[in-house]
Amino acid sequence: TFGLNYSVKLIKPKKLKKNFSRIVLSWGNKKDFDNRGNFYDKYFNTQTSKKKKILWLIIYMDKNLPKKIQSNIILLKIKGNKILNIFNWMKFLIFNIPKIFKNFDYFLVNISSFNYLSKRIIFSLRTILIKNFKEIIIPYEGQPFQNEIIRFLKNKNDKVIVTGYIHSSPLSTPTNFIHKQFCPDRIFLNGKDQLFCFEKILSWPKKKLNYIPSLRFRKNKIKHKKKIFIPYVVRRHEEILSNLKYTHEKISNLNN
């Protein structure tokens, strides 16, 4: 869905706590909530019930809402509308036309759907983000809305600390992670190869980089017998099934 069709809605608990020193901005689904309305964050491997002094802003990915949400959670629900709002589109385009004289590439970036969605998210969260938080913690992916939130926060209060956590290995061409003006003040990484990549290739200052064991994945003893490992994304399903059939019939029995 094109970004101009997006609408953003905040869902708050009936009794939202008022005093928080930190924010976590993350993603979630209905399955991540328990019956009491507590949220399990898979990126940080923790329950919101154990971090009650933190305000959790959850970009909600499902259509159906959880029955309850606890007093330290706000859901940010993004919905793609089927009908394009022509008025909003024209207003947005006219507002950005002067930027074409600065640089055409800059103009194209500003009218992109990702940039528009970033503005909508900021508009929805502005009354929350202007409060005096000490720190905001993000499973950082270098997404436009994340960088826009950092820009907004730094313009309002340059003392707020922005912490980013890299929860997965970089892509083959990780241009989204190139160091720029509005980046986290510090980044936590899980591997020495990531440290090398961020410092030597993506131009991050060494003082911003921190190495810690993975929060998302735990080193448990896993019995590898009777297990089949497949890629994170499977596009050619028939090919996978064909190879499994060949392995079962020609190489090793895969029963059980």
Side-chain angles (χ1 to χ4, degrees):
T1 306
F2 185 65
L4 287 172
N5 286 12
Y6 284 125
S7 60
V8 179
K9 182 180 180 181
L10 293 186
I11 294 96
K12 301 179 182 179
K14 292 181 179 179
K15 295 182 179 179
L16 177 69
K17 289 184 178 180
K18 295 182 178 180
N19 297 320
F20 298 99
S21 60
R22 288 176 172 83
I23 293 177
V24 170
L25 176 65
S26 191
W27 288 270
N29 298 84
K30 187 176 180 180
K31 62 181 178 60
D32 301 320
F33 286 84
D34 62 20
N35 293 332
R36 295 181 178 180
N38 296 308
F39 173 74
Y40 170 72
D41 192 304
K42 64 181 180 182
Y43 302 105
F44 299 109
N45 215 344
T46 189
Q47 295 275 356
T48 55
S49 57
K50 296 179 180 180
K51 305 291 181 181
K52 293 183 179 180
K53 293 183 180 180
I54 294 176
L55 174 61
W56 297 77
L57 298 178
I58 309 299
I59 298 176
Y60 193 70
M61 309 298 289
D62 277 336
K63 291 183 179 179
N64 298 322
L65 295 172
K67 293 181 179 180
K68 295 180 181 179
I69 53 174
Q70 287 298 319
S71 58
N72 61 333
I73 300 172
I74 295 177
L75 303 184
L76 189 69
K77 189 174 182 182
I78 300 172
K79 181 181 178 182
N81 302 311
K82 294 182 179 180
I83 301 175
L84 176 65
N85 190 320
I86 299 297
F87 175 76
N88 281 347
W89 188 86
M90 291 298 296
K91 181 180 177 182
F92 182 67
L93 183 62
I94 292 170
F95 177 79
N96 283 282
I97 280 179
K99 296 173 183 177
I100 198 172
F101 299 104
K102 182 174 181 179
N103 182 285
F104 187 67
D105 289 336
Y106 180 70
F107 168 74
L108 292 177
V109 167
N110 275 275
I111 65 169
S112 71
S113 59
F114 289 111
N115 187 53
Y116 181 80
L117 178 59
S118 300
K119 304 295 185 186
R120 296 298 299 271
I121 291 175
I122 289 292
F123 182 80
S124 300
L125 293 177
R126 68 193 185 284
T127 56
I128 297 170
L129 297 176
I130 59 174
K131 297 180 181 180
N132 292 323
F133 294 98
K134 294 180 180 178
E135 183 180 16
I136 180 168
I137 305 167
I138 306 172
Y140 188 63
E141 297 181 354
Q143 294 205 30
F145 81 88
Q146 293 179 330
N147 296 326
E148 190 64 27
I149 285 174
I150 295 172
R151 181 202 301 269
F152 180 87
L153 286 170
K154 289 298 183 180
N155 287 336
K156 294 292 181 182
N157 178 12
D158 60 0
K159 293 182 179 180
V160 64
I161 298 172
V162 181
T163 298
Y165 174 61
I166 308 300
H167 58 84
S168 60
S169 57
L171 301 172
S172 55
T173 310
T175 54
N176 54 312
F177 286 135
I178 290 175
H179 188 266
K180 53 186 76 70
Q181 181 181 2
F182 294 103
C183 278
D185 298 302
R186 55 184 181 175
I187 283 284
F188 286 90
L189 304 155
N190 301 142
K192 294 180 180 179
D193 54 340
Q194 288 185 336
L195 286 172
F196 177 86
C197 178
F198 273 71
E199 181 184 357
K200 302 299 183 182
I201 301 174
L202 301 175
S203 302
W204 282 75
K206 190 174 182 179
K207 64 181 181 180
K208 284 190 172 186
L209 304 177
N210 301 271
Y211 172 73
I212 60 171
S214 175
L215 299 175
R216 185 175 182 181
F217 303 106
R218 303 298 187 186
K219 286 187 177 180
N220 297 324
K221 292 183 179 180
I222 301 175
K223 294 181 180 180
H224 289 160
K225 292 182 179 180
K226 296 185 179 181
K227 283 185 171 60
I228 296 173
F229 293 87
I230 61 173
Y232 180 71
V233 176
V234 175
R235 292 187 173 88
R236 297 188 292 272
H237 301 82
E238 294 301 324
E239 185 175 337
I240 295 290
L241 292 172
S242 176
N243 285 326
L244 286 173
K245 183 178 180 181
Y246 176 83
T247 301
H248 174 68
E249 294 177 349
K250 305 292 184 180
I251 301 175
S252 178
N253 191 303
L254 296 181
N255 287 338
N256 301 317

